[in-house]
Amino acid sequence: MLDTLLRGKPAVVWYGDDFTGATDTLATVAQAGLRSLLFLDVPTEAQRAQAGPLQAIGIAGAARSLPPAVMAEVLTPVAQFMAASGAPLLHYKCCSTFDSAPHVGSIGAAVAALRKVAPASPAVIVGGQPNIGRFCAFGNLFAQAGPGGAVHRIDRHPTMRQHPVTPMDEADLRLHLAKQGLADIRLLSTRQLELAGADADVLLHWMQAQEGASPVPDALLIDLVHEAQLPQIGALLWARAQQSPLLAVGPSGVEQCLIAGWRQLGLLGALPVAEPLAPAQGPVLVLVGSLSPVSSQQIAASQQFDKREVEVDRLLAEEGYLSACAVQLAQGLHEGRPMLAHTSRPDQVVDAATTAAVAQRSAQLVAETLRLVAAQGQPLRRLGIAGGDTSSLATQALGLWGLAFHSTLAPGVTLSVARSDDARIDGLELMLKGGQMGDAQLFDRLVTGAG
């Protein structure tokens, strides 16, 4: 079994470049039965002791919103923690759409900062995550436009091609990441996977040949098109990680591959029984800071909430507007009404700086609302936040140190349980959702439950 092989060490340590994606990875490993916890920073010894023995350890961050120099500073202690953990596989968890740029959220800068955990070998990039509609074929990335939507090449995706911060204008991940410093990326294509079939040694020999090349490539990219490839890729990653620590890059497809490979190898026991989400026992707050069409559809479809629009221009410029919004939301929650606040859609295209400022102010709005509700003597017990940057910043503003898995509301959408030294926040049920994730009724299930 896996514990026997690990000898007290974790199997995988991951760093999520935003909080929504980090919780998706948490759900992936927890639902497979691995003892796991997501820390919101490099954990202290006291926090590790409180968490107990873990087979999978996550660290949630906000690297995707940072410039390369700041990323290097933030990721240096993460690399040190990863190296000291003894885990054979170390994962930089990026967004499943790989949206990043040389100047912000650079995946190349992340690899450079973390390479010290596996200095002698190239990073291994897993290009897809089929269960949420992300597919990598012959190095090119494709993404579904919302649940049940059409699949588009990423540079033609209706949302990602015009992302306000990191628009995706290149579908070939080798070319996209070359702009970020990963100039030499070798491809293990879906055709090679098909031809190798059950012969795992063929793939391992290919990987070892690339690692022995001169010069050593910056990274190896592995296609992932359909779920039948998960155990094949997972067995390859695990076999390679047994030789020396392996740095992997990609979405939660990395862990999905590992888990499928472990199951094929007989290293995991029976799946734990999933508990459905119960109806909320008190008022629920949702803040939507995402401008994606999927989030807009979810707002329009929700019927359980008293909805309040937060005007972006006033939020950024008008003193006292944030406090007034928080008072209004707290009053509704005190009266027992589920409240949904959403930022307005600007009339003009917003730049990256404005997007970041709105996310920061939205995070402050969440924290202030929770403070007011707690002061009224009935701390909020269930909270939802939509929007990658908003989720990361708001979670940091709440003063949490960890998140444990509770349940999955939709593919890629996790409900977690907050760990905090503040008794008013500890145990808060928290949903963090990226803009592209979830079906139309997602928000309402936070009120009604999923049973």
Side-chain angles (χ1 to χ4, degrees):
M1 299 296 282
L2 194 59
D3 270 338
T4 303
L5 289 175
L6 295 174
R7 298 178 182 177
K9 297 176 181 178
V12 58
V13 175
W14 79 94
Y15 172 91
D17 71 351
D18 76 356
F19 280 45
T20 58
T23 59
D24 179 50
T25 307
L26 173 67
T28 299
V29 294
Q31 288 177 306
L34 274 68
R35 298 185 302 275
S36 51
L37 191 73
L38 177 64
F39 295 96
L40 304 191
D41 201 347
V42 174
T44 65
E45 290 186 11
Q47 290 165 352
R48 281 294 309 274
Q50 193 168 343
L54 298 172
Q55 296 168 310
I57 299 173
I59 299 173
R64 67 176 293 184
S65 63
L66 302 176
V70 181
M71 290 179 71
E73 182 179 342
V74 166
L75 291 174
T76 293
V78 174
Q80 294 169 345
F81 176 80
M82 285 180 164
S85 72
L89 195 133
L90 309 158
H91 178 202
Y92 181 77
K93 196 281 178 196
C94 64
C95 182
S96 61
T97 51
F98 284 82
D99 49 309
S100 52
H103 66 285
V104 60
S106 167
I107 294 171
V111 170
L114 297 175
R115 193 180 290 281
K116 65 191 71 175
V117 302
S121 57
V124 176
I125 303 167
V126 176
Q129 187 174 339
N131 76 309
I132 57 171
R134 306 293 186 260
F135 314 97
C136 185
F138 298 98
N140 286 266
L141 183 62
F142 298 80
Q144 194 173 40
V151 175
H152 303 266
R153 204 174 70 186
I154 197 68
D155 59 339
R156 297 179 182 177
H157 190 280
T159 302
M160 298 314 303
R161 69 184 179 191
Q162 55 187 357
H163 190 282
V165 181
T166 49
M168 291 294 289
D169 57 6
E170 176 55 66
D172 191 322
L173 289 178
R174 293 163 293 183
L175 299 179
H176 174 62
L177 297 175
K179 300 173 186 176
Q180 302 174 28
L182 299 178
D184 184 1
I185 300 178
R186 313 284 174 85
L187 176 66
L188 179 58
S189 73
T190 188
R191 179 60 174 162
Q192 289 170 271
L193 292 169
E194 179 183 336
L195 291 174
D199 191 347
D201 288 341
V202 170
L203 300 178
L204 185 58
H205 290 158
W206 177 88
M207 183 176 286
Q208 291 169 332
Q210 307 309 311
E211 293 179 341
S214 182
V216 176
D218 296 311
L220 309 177
L221 171 61
I222 303 178
D223 277 349
L224 178 50
V225 179
H226 50 79
E227 296 193 0
Q229 294 171 323
L230 294 176
Q232 183 184 28
I233 297 172
L236 171 63
L237 296 178
W238 189 242
R240 169 57 189 80
Q242 298 310 293
Q243 298 172 354
S244 63
L246 181 65
L247 174 61
V249 177
S252 298
V254 171
E255 281 73 19
Q256 290 178 352
C257 287
L258 277 178
I259 290 162
W262 288 333
R263 292 213 174 281
Q264 183 173 270
L265 296 169
L267 297 177
L268 287 181
L271 288 172
V273 177
E275 291 290 337
L277 179 65
Q281 296 302 303
V284 177
L285 172 65
V286 169
L287 174 73
V288 184
S290 166
L291 298 178
S292 81
V294 173
S295 292
S296 297
Q297 293 166 6
Q298 290 162 340
I299 294 169
S302 64
Q303 300 180 8
Q304 298 291 326
F305 290 88
D306 189 340
K307 302 172 189 177
R308 295 287 186 270
E309 183 176 77
V310 178
E311 298 177 43
V312 165
D313 292 340
R314 297 182 68 187
L315 184 67
L316 295 179
E318 187 177 316
E319 186 176 353
Y321 181 70
L322 185 153
S323 296
C325 289
V327 168
Q328 186 181 57
L329 293 172
Q331 182 60 35
L333 293 166
H334 182 66
E335 293 171 359
R337 289 179 282 140
M339 301 296 292
L340 188 155
H342 59 96
T343 51
S344 61
R345 180 172 290 276
D347 295 329
Q348 68 284 343
V349 177
V350 296
D351 57 21
T354 302
T355 300
V358 172
Q360 183 66 59
R361 293 290 283 170
S362 300
Q364 293 170 354
L365 174 60
V366 171
E368 176 64 10
T369 302
L370 263 65
R371 186 190 67 80
L372 292 174
V373 172
Q376 295 168 345
Q378 48 177 179
L380 194 72
R381 305 318 299 164
R382 190 172 287 180
L383 168 67
I385 306 173
D389 292 342
T390 306
S391 294
S392 298
L393 293 167
T395 306
Q396 290 172 327
L398 294 178
L400 313 181
W401 61 260
L403 293 172
F405 174 74
H406 183 285
S407 54
T408 295
L409 295 177
V413 183
T414 300
L415 188 75
S416 304
V417 179
R419 303 294 301 272
S420 173
D421 294 329
D422 184 342
R424 298 172 300 177
I425 300 294
D426 191 55
L428 172 72
E429 295 173 350
L430 177 62
M431 179 201 77
L432 304 177
K433 184 194 88 72
Q436 298 298 307
M437 300 301 172
D439 58 278
Q441 286 71 45
L442 178 70
F443 294 153
D444 279 354
R445 288 202 295 279
L446 282 176
V447 177
T448 63

